[in-house]
Amino acid sequence: MAKEQARGSRNQDITLDPWGTVEVKDYDRLLKVFGIKPFSDVMPLLKKAGMEPSLHMKRGIIFGHRDFDKVLEAKAKGEPVAVLTGFMPSGKFHFGHKMTVDQLIYLQRHGFKIFVVIADAEASIVRKIPRKEAIRIGVEEYIASMIALGLDPKKTDFYFQTSRGTSYYRLIQLFAGKITTAEMEAIYGDISPAKVIAALTQAADILHVQLEEYGGYKWVVVPVGADQDPHLRLTRDIADRVSDIINLTRPASTYHRLQRGLDGGKMSSSRPEYTIFLTDEPRIARMKLMKALTGGRATAEEQRRLGGIPEACTVYDMDKYHLMQDDELSRIYNSCRSGSLLCGECKLLAWSKLEKFLDDYKRRLEKARDIAWSIVDVPKF
Ligand code: SF4
């Protein structure tokens, strides 16, 4: 068994389950345990590849990578590079999703070809989402949202898993012959036939863009949250194992911190009271933000005396991941720490940005929905 896979996905207090709930408390430890490299290692290579660091890179939100240095070196030499990411159409589009799309937009502007898979097969077999609903969500919530946020549909290959071509399916079958049940259990723990198919389909999603008919991209990076790392390790091992039949390069990956929900728990469509959706009515979004868990003290007097704790604050997360420019963010951080800013006032600052964003986004989304239906090959059944 290859080295990366042998680490499994469970290690003492850290469990990575792409289908479950993952809370990572110590990212440095996660890097060590799973053999992910710190993203700071590749920061000096960005310039050679003609790239300025993105907001997520500068703020440490993207914290790790596997082989992204190789992708940047290839790009610096003028070789074509690509990104693949996927979304499961199982709920409404929220700010955690937006973070991934912001990365895609950044990479697209730097010349990466973008592939976005709507994982409708996985939504049906693992999450039991009715087919028609999965397709509607895929187009109207996900593809439309990505276009509304600024991803250029002319330079993006959006596709549904169930409407991809024969060679893509051929890869899934090929991969199935290269892995054992025991190895799948070592990576994923409890595994069902549906999850096996979903995992191998994801491996095909990541690797098929290297086939000539999909562009022949040798250097592919997959931006993910740490919870998705088991899929990456499986796919990298599979790329090695099929080398007797087909030449596929191991994919690279970057890892971002998962934005917390507004109670400090998981941000998820299944926890709507703690998750702001991009289509939330202003009244609802405001209410959620005003009730959000902060790093403030019990009383105003105490906060003025001791200062707040931005690292513990979910409003600060919204500022850091989405809302504030660098100078605004550092002003908020320092004023919070010194106690000169109180949480009520700070939430209103965040709301003034969020309200404008949601208003602009709503108008862009209406147009983007029509475009979304027209550019994607919608599955027939
Ligand atoms: S002042 Fe702002 S950043 Fe500080 S804890 Fe309160 S809401 Fe969070």
Side-chain angles (χ1 to χ4, degrees):
M1 199 187 296
K3 198 173 162 203
E4 284 177 358
Q5 188 187 318
R7 293 172 190 277
S9 298
R10 285 155 176 74
N11 191 296
Q12 297 169 30
D13 53 328
I14 305 180
T15 298
L16 299 181
D17 177 359
W19 293 292
T21 302
V22 172
E23 260 190 76
V24 180
K25 295 205 169 70
D26 184 343
Y27 279 92
D28 289 336
R29 208 171 116 59
L30 182 131
L31 293 176
K32 284 198 190 99
V33 168
F34 292 101
I36 298 170
K37 301 261 172 59
F39 196 81
S40 53
D41 288 0
V42 294
M43 289 289 265
L45 300 177
L46 289 168
K47 203 164 184 183
K48 270 195 196 157
M51 297 162 71
E52 290 300 318
S54 70
L55 175 149
H56 294 118
M57 293 170 182
K58 284 190 287 186
R59 296 182 182 178
I61 293 167
I62 298 177
F63 67 93
H65 78 102
R66 293 188 195 276
D67 287 347
F68 191 50
D69 48 342
K70 292 183 182 165
V71 176
L72 291 176
E73 280 160 16
K75 184 174 185 311
K77 285 189 225 152
E79 294 177 38
V81 287
V83 185
L84 181 130
T85 195
F87 293 92
M88 175 145 28
S90 60
K92 290 167 73 178
F93 193 90
H94 57 62
F95 274 85
H97 299 126
K98 174 183 173 288
M99 184 177 46
T100 303
V101 177
D102 288 343
Q103 292 179 54
L104 298 182
I105 293 167
Y106 162 83
L107 292 166
Q108 185 170 67
R109 286 180 184 156
H110 285 91
F112 285 68
K113 168 74 184 181
I114 309 291
F115 293 86
V116 179
V117 51
I118 302 299
D120 61 321
E122 186 169 345
S124 298
I125 61 178
V126 178
R127 293 279 168 84
K128 314 288 184 214
I129 311 281
R131 291 285 298 147
K132 276 193 177 158
E133 183 61 358
I135 292 165
R136 187 198 64 76
I137 294 172
V139 176
E140 296 196 352
E141 284 288 334
Y142 289 81
I143 298 176
S145 295
M146 287 180 248
I147 296 169
L149 286 171
L151 202 60
D152 183 346
K154 293 194 192 85
K155 295 184 186 161
T156 307
D157 185 345
F158 293 106
Y159 71 93
F160 281 89
Q161 286 175 321
T162 59
S163 53
R164 213 51 163 171
T166 309
S167 57
Y168 164 83
Y169 281 95
R170 177 73 191 98
L171 286 184
I172 299 171
Q173 291 152 15
L174 181 63
F175 299 165
K178 297 287 181 182
I179 190 105
T180 67
T181 307
E183 286 168 335
M184 292 296 276
E185 282 170 351
I187 300 173
Y188 293 103
D190 288 341
I191 193 94
S192 63
K195 286 182 177 175
V196 171
I197 290 175
L200 295 177
T201 305
Q202 287 220 15
D205 287 317
I206 295 169
L207 292 171
H208 84 288
V209 303
Q210 296 188 39
L211 302 176
E212 279 308 314
E213 70 180 279
Y214 294 106
Y217 289 92
K218 182 178 167 200
W219 302 106
V220 181
V221 60
V222 187
V224 287
D227 57 334
Q228 299 299 308
D229 187 52
H231 289 320
L232 262 303
R233 279 180 282 131
L234 173 74
T235 305
R236 285 163 62 85
D237 267 5
I238 282 177
D240 293 347
R241 292 180 188 199
V242 296
S243 61
D244 55 330
I245 301 166
I246 184 169
N247 190 16
L248 297 173
T249 306
R250 286 177 153 211
S253 44
T254 58
Y255 297 87
H256 52 253
R257 290 168 190 263
L258 298 169
Q259 189 184 348
R260 296 173 296 179
L262 297 171
D263 62 344
K266 191 183 178 191
M267 179 176 287
S268 164
S269 309
S270 61
R271 305 179 74 239
E273 61 275 49
Y274 306 116
T275 300
I276 300 180
F277 300 106
L278 274 70
T279 47
D280 271 346
E281 287 301 322
R283 182 180 61 83
I284 303 288
R286 189 177 196 278
M287 189 179 69
K288 290 178 185 177
L289 190 71
M290 293 301 153
K291 282 188 184 168
L293 176 77
T294 72
R297 307 286 175 175
T299 65
E301 183 281 320
E302 215 179 299
Q303 186 146 343
R304 283 197 189 93
R305 187 160 43 86
L306 300 172
I309 307 169
E311 292 83 356
C313 177
T314 65
V315 178
Y316 186 75
D317 285 350
M318 281 296 288
D319 290 344
K320 182 174 169 178
Y321 284 71
H322 303 286
L323 300 177
M324 299 294 172
Q325 299 299 319
D326 289 348
D327 55 338
E328 297 167 319
L329 191 70
S330 63
R331 254 201 314 276
I332 289 171
Y333 185 90
N334 293 330
S335 322
C336 170
R337 276 277 172 207
S338 71
S340 61
L341 180 65
L342 299 184
C343 294
E345 188 190 339
C346 188
K347 284 178 171 177
L348 288 174
L349 285 175
W351 171 244
S352 68
K353 296 272 184 174
L354 181 59
E355 184 180 30
K356 180 167 180 339
F357 172 86
L358 293 176
D359 186 47
D360 287 349
Y361 174 80
K362 191 174 179 185
R363 272 182 279 112
R364 290 199 304 270
L365 184 64
E366 274 171 31
K367 284 189 203 146
R369 281 193 168 145
D370 290 339
I371 299 171
W373 280 110
S374 71
I375 58 164
V376 69
D377 188 5
V378 177
K380 306 276 180 301
F381 67 96

